[in-house]
Each structure stands twice: as structure tokens, then as C-alpha cells.
Amino acid sequence: WAAVIELSFVACALCGDAERTFLLAARTQMDCLYFVAAFWKLTTSFLDYRTSCATVLFAELATALLPEALLPVGGAAAAAVFRA
């Protein structure tokens, strides 16, 4: 992936208006990279709460950001969100 960005930099430098053209090309390439990475992650294993790491990551994030009153330990809301 780095080679593609380097190649686009060299191509933009040879064409003349390197700064503006390269920034547009690099931004487009990074947008494509993040889209493809997110799409690649959407598999049946990722969407299954029993085998995915997303459940653990979401649980850590929710306990850090949400107040305990919203998701009390052993409550119905916590059981629905953190099916384990």
C-alpha cells in the first residue's frame, strides 16, 4: 500500500502541480483503504457475538464511557447488550 502512495507521489511530482494533486490522490487512496478494511471485517464471524472480539471491545468502551446507572451489572440492559 505504501508503494502505491509513493508511486502516486512520483507521478504527481512529474506532472507539475504536485502538492494539490498528491494530497487529493493520497486522501482518495486512504478513503479506499479504510472502506475496504471495514468491508473486509464484516464477515459472519465478526457479526457473531460468540466468536467476535467486537463484543469485548464494545464492553470495554461502554464501561468506560457510559454511567453505571445506564447499564447496571446484572441488569436487563446489560444482559441484552453484552450477551456472553
Side-chain angles (χ1 to χ4, degrees):
W1 192 260
V4 172
I5 293 178
E6 289 287 329
L7 181 64
S8 65
F9 177 73
V10 171
C12 292
L14 293 176
C15 291
D17 188 17
E19 183 178 346
R20 189 187 59 161
T21 308
F22 173 69
L23 290 177
L24 178 64
R27 186 176 298 126
T28 303
Q29 290 173 356
M30 292 306 290
D31 290 344
C32 290
L33 171 73
Y34 280 110
F35 175 76
V36 169
F39 183 74
W40 190 271
K41 194 70 173 164
L42 291 177
T43 61
T44 56
S45 296
F46 181 74
L47 296 175
D48 185 9
Y49 69 93
R50 294 169 293 186
T51 59
S52 177
C53 64
T55 307
V56 175
L57 295 175
F58 179 75
E60 290 177 1
L61 183 65
T63 55
L65 296 178
L66 298 176
E68 189 176 343
L70 188 60
L71 291 171
V73 176
V81 172
F82 306 121
R83 296 183 292 179

